[in-house]
Amino acid sequence: MTPIRQGRNHSAALASAMCVLAVTGTVLTGCAEDPNEGTNGVGRLPAEKIQAKTRTAAESADAVRVHGSVVSGGRTYALDMRLKDDGGEGSVTTKGATFRLLRVGEQLFVKADAEFWSHGAGQGEGGKADAAAASKLGGKFVKVPQGDPSYQKFSGFTDKGVLLDGLLTLHGKLATDGHDEQAGIRTIRISGGKGSGGTLEVSLEGKPYPLRLERAGGAGTLTFSAWGQDFSLREPEKNETVDYGRQLPAS
């Protein structure tokens, strides 16, 4: 994949520098820089076509980093995930608890401290045994059985296709909403429902990747970076792993 080139386009910067006031008698004549000059051209397209091109670019990328917050089911999740087609890794924080997720192919692992596991396991008559189990799980990669209710929810955070498809959706009538800059990269903003349906910053440099998303209804803000930058994924070593069994402690 071709990485997004950082910084402003040289030709556009030169045009801006040359666009100075010229004196004609006593009248000052100015010239304005075209915000789409020297870009990938998507800023000149209707919002619907920009969104389509953005989705195509995102789907074709081998890898991406997703960082920010998502509100779902009344709970806020802080994410910092690196994703690619065959898995992903990173951290998720919710209600003050942080856990690490790692998926390689179909194998999903969760890593957290003993306190995390004790909150889910230390209930009922098995409290002491559960606490002992939690101490063994703490600091280890715990393999999540595919039949466990947690598998689908946790694996969704590590699935590039599922996560992006669920996130890169604006609601309501789409419209362009001005130009901006994200991490030194020029962007075009598109919005749904005059902003109430979410806003998305799309790169005007290189491929039209999504760079920043404000979800509808205040449901979180996410940034997207490292598009197409590969990273290694491997299953943890056996001495780093615990196989809890058929079902994890409820959490």
Side-chain angles (χ1 to χ4, degrees), residues 5 9 11-12 34 36-41 44 186 204-205:
R5 184 181 53 77
N9 181 276
S11 62
D34 178 358
N36 294 303
E37 184 177 352
T39 70
N40 56 23
R44 297 187 174 97
R186 284 183 293 171
L204 288 175
E205 304 182 25

Side-chain angles (χ1 to χ4, degrees), residues 4-5 14 49 55 74 84 112 133 135 158 165 187 239:
I4 299 175
R5 184 181 53 77
L14 180 60
K49 289 190 176 181
R55 279 187 169 274
K84 56 183 181 178
S135 67
T158 67
D165 186 59
T187 63
N239 62 358

Side-chain angles (χ1 to χ4, degrees), residues 133-185:
S135 67
K136 293 180 181 179
L137 298 178
K140 295 283 189 179
F141 284 97
V142 180
K143 186 175 181 179
V144 183
Q146 293 188 31
D148 187 277
S150 300
Y151 184 91
Q152 185 173 1
K153 180 171 68 174
F154 285 162
S155 64
F157 288 121
T158 67
D159 191 311
K160 173 177 168 285
V162 170
L163 194 62
L164 292 182
D165 186 59
L167 292 175
L168 297 179
T169 300
L170 301 177
H171 303 280
K173 186 177 180 179
L174 297 181
T176 55
D177 192 22
H179 293 72
D180 208 333
E181 193 172 282
Q182 182 70 25
I185 301 169

Side-chain angles (χ1 to χ4, degrees), residues 3-244:
I4 299 175
R5 184 181 53 77
Q6 300 293 321
R8 293 180 61 84
N9 181 276
H10 286 254
S11 62
L14 180 60
S16 178
M18 294 178 64
C19 186
V20 296
L21 292 175
V23 180
T24 305
T26 58
V27 179
L28 293 178
T29 303
C31 59
E33 177 188 349
D34 178 358
N36 294 303
E37 184 177 352
T39 70
N40 56 23
V42 298
R44 297 187 174 97
L45 300 176
E48 292 81 1
K49 289 190 176 181
I50 296 175
Q51 184 181 51
K53 285 186 173 292
T54 295
R55 279 187 169 274
T56 299
E59 290 169 0
S60 66
D62 294 332
V64 64
R65 180 188 177 195
V66 182
H67 181 267
S69 63
V70 171
V71 180
S72 178
R75 178 178 289 192
T76 299
Y77 298 89
L79 310 179
D80 189 359
M81 301 294 301
R82 295 200 69 180
L83 311 170
K84 56 183 181 178
D85 292 337
D86 61 346
E89 65 174 348
S91 65
V92 178
T93 301
T94 183
K95 292 188 175 181
T98 298
F99 54 96
R100 183 180 173 191
L101 292 175
L102 169 64
R103 183 175 64 85
V104 183
E106 298 298 320
Q107 302 302 316
L108 175 66
F109 302 87
V110 179
K111 184 177 182 180
D113 59 21
E115 184 178 1
F116 173 88
W117 294 110
S118 65
H119 282 308
Q123 299 179 8
E125 295 180 358
K128 290 184 179 180
D130 288 341
S135 67
K136 293 180 181 179
L137 298 178
K140 295 283 189 179
F141 284 97
V142 180
K143 186 175 181 179
V144 183
Q146 293 188 31
D148 187 277
S150 300
Y151 184 91
Q152 185 173 1
K153 180 171 68 174
F154 285 162
S155 64
F157 288 121
T158 67
D159 191 311
K160 173 177 168 285
V162 170
L163 194 62
L164 292 182
D165 186 59
L167 292 175
L168 297 179
T169 300
L170 301 177
H171 303 280
K173 186 177 180 179
L174 297 181
T176 55
D177 192 22
H179 293 72
D180 208 333
E181 193 172 282
Q182 182 70 25
I185 301 169
R186 284 183 293 171
T187 63
I188 180 73
R189 184 187 303 109
I190 58 175
S191 63
K194 297 183 179 180
S196 63
T199 61
L200 184 66
E201 301 279 350
V202 179
S203 175
L204 288 175
E205 304 182 25
K207 290 192 175 184
Y209 291 123
L211 298 184
R212 186 175 186 273
L213 170 71
E214 291 186 20
R215 302 183 73 207
T221 301
L222 293 162
T223 59
F224 305 90
S225 60
W227 286 104
Q229 296 181 19
D230 194 18
F231 60 97
S232 61
L233 278 176
R234 66 167 184 86
E235 290 189 25
E237 301 293 337
K238 287 187 177 181
N239 62 358
E240 301 176 292
T241 308
V242 174
D243 192 340
Y244 192 80

